Amino acid sequence: MQYLIFELSDGDDGVATLEAMASTRADSHAAVMVEVQGVLDWAWREFPGQHGPIEDGMAWDHELLVQEEAGDWRTVTLTLTGAPHFVDAFLAEFGGEED
């Protein structure tokens, strides 16, 4: 990936959070969204039927925020929460940075 770099933080409850933020000019926004879609496609493919609140027993959930900023900039934040087996598979596929 060129734009998204994920950082991992572990919660006390065994649920981990993977978060990436990319801030680009509008002309690069589509490339960022291709990366976002690639991550989400992987998660839906590898963990079918397991998307939703972790507290309800699901393997992973996500939040995607896209903000338009001054000066023709776009900020994309992708946050994934996951059970340990999801996070292990994610890190094996995409890598990441641990906090």
Side-chain angles (χ1 to χ4, degrees):
M1 283 189 264
Q2 183 178 352
Y3 297 99
L4 298 177
I5 298 172
F6 284 88
E7 293 186 16
L8 172 65
S9 59
D10 292 315
D12 294 334
D13 56 1
V15 175
T17 301
L18 293 152
E19 185 173 57
M21 180 184 293
S23 186
T24 62
R25 294 221 178 257
D27 60 352
S28 297
H29 180 70
V32 174
M33 295 308 295
V34 166
E35 288 187 6
V36 167
Q37 193 60 55
V39 169
L40 294 175
D41 287 347
W42 170 85
W44 279 308
R45 183 177 60 253
E46 295 298 316
F47 295 88
Q50 299 178 58
H51 177 261
I54 306 303
E55 59 271 11
D56 291 347
M58 298 299 182
W60 71 286
D61 205 356
H62 81 285
E63 180 178 28
L64 175 62
L65 299 172
V66 178
Q67 298 174 309
E68 292 188 22
E69 307 287 343
D72 204 29
W73 286 84
R74 305 289 185 274
T75 300
V76 175
T77 306
L78 177 60
T79 305
L80 303 170
T81 53
H85 66 285
F86 174 84
V87 173
D88 289 344
F90 178 92
L91 293 174
E93 182 71 20
F94 298 105
E97 294 182 10
E98 292 194 32
D99 284 343

